[in-house]
Amino acid sequence: MTRTQKTVFILVALVAVILGLTVNKVLNDQRQPTSTELIDAGIILLPQSRTVPSLEMTDQNGQPVAVDQLKGKWSLLFFGYTFCPDICPTTLAQLRQVKSELPKEAVDKLQVILVSVDPNRDTPAQLKQYLGYFDADFRGLTGSVETLQKLANAVSIPFIPADTSKPNYTVDHSGNLAVIGPDGKQRGFIRAPFNNQKLIAQLPGLVQRD
């Protein structure tokens, strides 16, 4: 083998190695996370998808929304309210931070929805203003207490309706998120408190699922 042939052979081998490493990285980046990785990030998937009840609610723009028609994207439902003193602003700030560090293709498949557990004070206009402090793309939903309870119970994130006759009342609610798939069915939960970096690492793989 001549010197030129040896040089060509070495170059070809190097290119093959580089291509192999690149393909391996791409495959690893696109693989779906394991159950263990998801659980470690606080993401709990249901063994079987759960149908979301057909309920009419109102969004932050005053438009009607059929809850069982949340399709096309992965929806993260957070049951909270705009007058919440602690859990809600912290959670929404965390979700804003997580979203800001996700790759664009993952962001395009996700939507964050605040479901108000305080319809007495959370009008569509109030929801829109409040969500604008965190992310203008975050959505808000409100409805009657009865409708809200039906939805919360259906996705296993209940809350305790407040005594609205008391001044400056608070509402007891969970910090967990309900995960709704692009088919409009509940796929699982994200447990609070959140680990931002673990969510950032695992959400891109989760939203690759059908």
Side-chain angles (χ1 to χ4, degrees):
M1 183 181 291
T2 66
R3 180 177 296 178
T4 300
Q5 289 174 321
K6 287 181 179 179
T7 301
V8 171
F9 177 82
I10 292 172
L11 288 173
V12 170
L14 285 172
V15 170
V17 169
I18 293 170
L19 284 174
L21 291 173
T22 301
V23 170
N24 183 63
K25 183 179 186 303
V26 170
L27 290 175
N28 284 334
D29 287 346
Q30 292 182 345
R31 72 174 178 82
Q32 292 184 355
T34 65
S35 296
T36 301
E37 290 171 328
L38 289 174
I39 291 172
D40 183 57
I43 302 171
I44 311 299
L45 296 183
L46 297 171
Q48 201 165 23
S49 298
R50 182 183 296 171
T51 300
V52 176
S54 177
L55 298 168
E56 289 290 332
M57 302 187 74
T58 304
D59 71 9
Q60 77 278 10
N61 295 312
Q63 299 300 310
V65 173
V67 179
D68 61 333
Q69 295 299 310
L70 291 176
K71 297 179 180 180
K73 289 188 176 185
W74 286 81
S75 302
L76 304 183
L77 268 58
F78 173 55
F79 288 76
Y81 63 112
T82 66
F83 288 82
C84 179
D86 41 39
I87 296 175
C88 299
T90 299
T91 298
L92 292 171
Q94 283 187 281
L95 292 173
R96 175 185 60 194
Q97 181 63 34
V98 168
K99 179 185 172 184
S100 72
E101 296 190 37
L102 289 174
K104 184 179 183 302
E105 55 269 25
V107 172
D108 290 343
K109 295 180 179 180
L110 273 174
Q111 59 181 347
V112 173
I113 301 176
L114 170 64
V115 181
S116 173
V117 295
D118 183 18
N120 183 58
R121 294 179 294 192
D122 284 346
T123 63
Q126 171 68 17
L127 281 172
K128 186 169 186 175
Q129 180 182 41
Y130 183 76
L131 291 171
Y133 298 142
F134 300 95
D135 189 312
D137 290 330
F138 285 0
R139 299 180 65 187
L141 291 178
T142 187
S144 67
V145 172
E146 181 183 11
T147 297
L148 291 165
Q149 283 190 306
K150 285 181 179 178
L151 177 59
N153 291 336
V155 297
S156 298
I157 304 186
F159 68 96
I160 301 175
D163 180 355
T164 58
S165 65
K166 294 181 179 179
N168 302 317
Y169 63 83
T170 58
V171 185
D172 290 330
H173 64 94
S174 171
N176 295 341
L177 307 179
V179 178
I180 309 298
D183 57 356
K185 295 184 177 182
Q186 186 184 9
R187 299 295 189 86
F189 308 88
I190 299 180
R191 295 182 307 195
F194 307 134
N195 182 308
N196 286 17
Q197 292 309 309
K198 288 182 178 180
L199 286 178
I200 291 165
Q202 301 305 329
L203 282 175
L206 175 68
V207 300
Q208 289 177 18
R209 297 168 183 256
D210 295 328

